[in-house]
């Protein structure tokens, strides 16, 4: 068993902070993980360059018959690829 698995096993169901190689930081509850990815819910995110916490969002094209533009959809869950993780902190 590797160190990361032992550490994350203890964090299941708890709030953690995850920093990725692209300077994104996610705070959320760890609900599942494996060797390739971890799944967080109740997530907020920020950048290590500009600390301003917000819910993650994605812009999707508006539906057919609309005047264009995008519709913003908030994301409740975020999957982070393990290869992209630099740091993980337990938040108590």
């Amino acid at each position: 068993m590797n160190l990361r698995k032992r550490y994350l096993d203890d964090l299941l169901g708890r709030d953690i902070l995850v920093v990725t190689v692209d300077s994104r930081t996610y705070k959320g509850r760890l609900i599942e993980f494996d060797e390739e990815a971890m799944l967080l819910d109740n997530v907020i995110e920020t950048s290590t360059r500009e600390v301003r916490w917000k819910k993650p969002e994605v812009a999707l094209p508006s539906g057919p018959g609309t005047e264009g533009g995008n519709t913003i959809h908030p994301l409740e869950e975020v999957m982070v690829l393990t290869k992209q993780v630099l740091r993980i902190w337990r938040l108590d």
Side-chain angles (χ1 to χ4, degrees):
M1 181 184 312
N2 68 33
L3 177 60
R4 182 179 52 213
K5 179 173 178 0
R6 286 194 319 262
Y7 187 72
L8 291 177
D9 277 342
D10 289 340
L11 298 177
L12 279 172
R14 300 180 74 177
D15 282 343
I16 64 172
L17 196 67
V18 178
V19 179
T20 59
V21 296
D22 62 353
S23 298
R24 302 303 305 162
T25 302
Y26 300 95
K27 177 191 176 290
R29 185 170 50 110
L30 179 64
I31 57 174
E32 190 175 354
F33 73 93
D34 62 19
E35 288 298 316
E36 296 178 10
M38 59 181 66
L39 187 60
L40 306 173
D41 72 355
N42 298 320
V43 176
I44 55 175
E45 72 172 332
T46 192
S47 166
T48 57
R49 294 182 187 103
E50 178 187 336
V51 180
R52 194 172 52 110
W53 291 98
K54 62 181 179 117
K55 280 232 172 251
E57 300 174 326
V58 63
L60 298 174
S62 297
T66 61
E67 291 287 323
N70 294 320
T71 303
I72 303 299
H73 292 276
L75 303 173
E76 293 299 320
E77 294 181 340
V78 172
M79 182 177 292
V80 180
L81 298 179
T82 304
K83 290 180 185 178
Q84 302 299 315
V85 174
L86 287 177
R87 297 176 189 92
I88 301 169
W89 283 281
R90 170 192 332 245
L91 296 174
D92 292 327

